[in-house]
Amino acid sequence: MMRRVLLFLFTYACMFSTPAAGETVVTVQSVPIPLYEEAVRGFFEVCGPSAARIYLTDLKTHSSLARNIGRVSPDLILAVGMDALDALAFVREVPVVFVMVPAGWFRDGPGANVTGVYMQPGVEAVMAHVTRLLPLARRIGMVAGPDLADIVVRNAAGRPCRDQAALVAESVRRARDVPSALLALRNRIDVLWMVPDASLLTSATMEFFIMFSLENKIPLVTFSEKYLAMGALMALDPDPVDMGRQAGEMARLILSGRQVAQEPPRTARKLQMTVNATVAEKFGIPLEDNLSTEALIVK
């Protein structure tokens, strides 16, 4: 019996230990900003420290990046940020796991050796937070470009939240089409979710999102706390540390022999909720009964 217990403990420890000898990870980071450092910290918590950390801001050319990576000959590369991922386009054989990259970044999908965690809130997590604050909400509307809309809708497929809220998506190709798409959603949704689509979010469309929400009394959920002051009800920010952990979990599986194709890119699973109390009062939404102690409330 004791032998079985020791074998179990050894196996469990191996599952959560740092990569074994010979499994070398290199981190390539766009810039040394706090948000990215938090994601790297989360990755290190799960996958252990990398053999080398390379900041693009310290390199003069991309050829020097190739030389630095070649010296280490890694088994896996962690790409932190959009510029870092772009700079690693020459890598074809080594698995690349990215983090802090917006959804919809790839026009034709990532390469066969590339996967990671998008800076996009997961649909399941968003729906769970929305229905916690708005238990009667059943239809969550979204306007996004085709690439991002495809990622979000695909992520939502077959994953209804516990209260059976449904995602109603409108796909548009140009920022000037956003107002008409929002108007098309007017009588079909209970909540409007503004996703982080840089191709569509201009100062003009942002203003229309806010006006549409207030005029039609449809609460607006955004991806950043900064939009609360403009009139949004709720912000759901992805947790950078946990996104790093997600990337670390994927990296560990790949380093243990799992194929990159078996670990497709995913969205952020953990969110921080911040609520605008003034807007909630205008909409007649009680906060004290529906929010957990983890939620932040701003006036």
Side-chain angles (χ1 to χ4, degrees):
M1 176 62 73
M2 179 60 68
R3 183 176 299 176
R4 290 183 180 178
V5 171
L6 291 174
L7 179 61
F8 170 79
L9 291 174
F10 175 77
T11 303
Y12 184 85
C14 289
M15 288 174 62
F16 293 95
S17 63
T18 56
E23 295 175 342
T24 305
V25 178
V26 166
T27 299
V28 179
Q29 189 168 329
S30 300
V31 288
I33 59 175
L35 195 67
Y36 287 6
E37 293 294 332
E38 289 181 12
V40 172
R41 176 164 61 86
F43 182 88
F44 286 175
E45 287 178 8
V46 174
C47 203
S50 56
R53 292 191 65 181
I54 302 170
Y55 295 95
L56 294 187
T57 48
D58 294 337
L59 303 177
K60 294 182 179 180
T61 64
H62 282 185
S63 59
S64 59
L65 173 62
R67 287 196 299 273
N68 275 275
I69 291 175
R71 291 191 191 102
V72 181
S73 188
D75 298 289
L76 183 141
I77 301 173
L78 172 67
V80 187
M82 299 169 287
D83 292 340
L85 185 58
D86 280 349
L88 291 166
F90 69 92
V91 177
R92 291 286 186 266
E93 302 300 326
V94 179
V96 175
V97 176
F98 65 79
V99 71
M100 307 309 292
V101 171
W105 185 250
F106 303 99
R107 286 186 175 274
D108 302 313
N113 65 314
V114 178
T115 189
V117 182
Y118 290 121
M119 289 179 63
Q120 165 68 40
V123 173
E124 190 174 358
V126 169
M127 288 181 169
H129 281 78
V130 168
T131 53
R132 182 182 305 154
L133 181 61
L134 304 166
L136 298 180
R138 290 294 179 270
R139 302 165 300 172
I140 300 175
M142 180 195 77
V143 175
D147 293 336
L148 181 52
D150 180 61
I151 290 171
V152 175
V153 171
R154 190 168 64 243
N155 187 251
R159 303 174 75 182
C161 77
R162 61 176 181 269
D163 292 310
Q164 300 299 308
L167 182 67
V168 183
E170 284 285 328
S171 175
V172 298
R173 293 191 173 277
R174 300 165 297 185
R176 68 186 186 187
D177 296 328
V178 169
S180 59
L182 288 175
L183 291 175
L185 289 172
R186 181 164 48 189
N187 298 317
R188 301 163 53 203
I189 62 174
D190 305 308
V191 179
L192 177 61
W193 175 27
M194 185 176 69
V195 295
D197 193 327
S199 65
L200 300 181
L201 290 182
T202 65
S203 57
T205 57
M206 187 65 245
E207 184 177 346
F208 200 89
F209 268 100
I210 299 296
M211 290 174 55
F212 174 85
S213 169
L214 298 177
E215 290 178 0
N216 294 282
K217 297 189 181 302
I218 297 176
L220 177 63
V221 178
T222 78
F223 56 89
S224 176
E225 186 179 340
K226 67 181 180 181
Y227 296 116
L228 296 180
M230 300 175 64
L233 170 67
M234 183 197 309
L236 295 173
D237 293 281
D239 183 333
V241 176
D242 193 66
M243 283 191 285
R245 294 189 188 110
Q246 281 183 265
E249 291 163 8
M250 298 171 76
R252 286 185 60 82
L253 289 171
I254 293 168
L255 289 170
S256 68
R258 194 172 178 85
Q259 297 298 310
V260 174
Q262 295 176 289
E263 290 295 316
R266 57 202 59 181
T267 52
R269 66 190 173 192
K270 186 176 180 181
L271 309 176
Q272 172 64 58
M273 175 195 287
T274 311
V275 178
N276 185 327
T278 302
V279 174
E281 185 178 357
K282 286 181 180 179
F283 285 173
I285 301 170
L287 298 183
E288 56 278 353
D289 296 333
N290 298 335
L291 290 184
S292 67
T293 56
E294 296 180 356
L296 301 176
I297 301 176
V298 296
K299 303 295 184 182

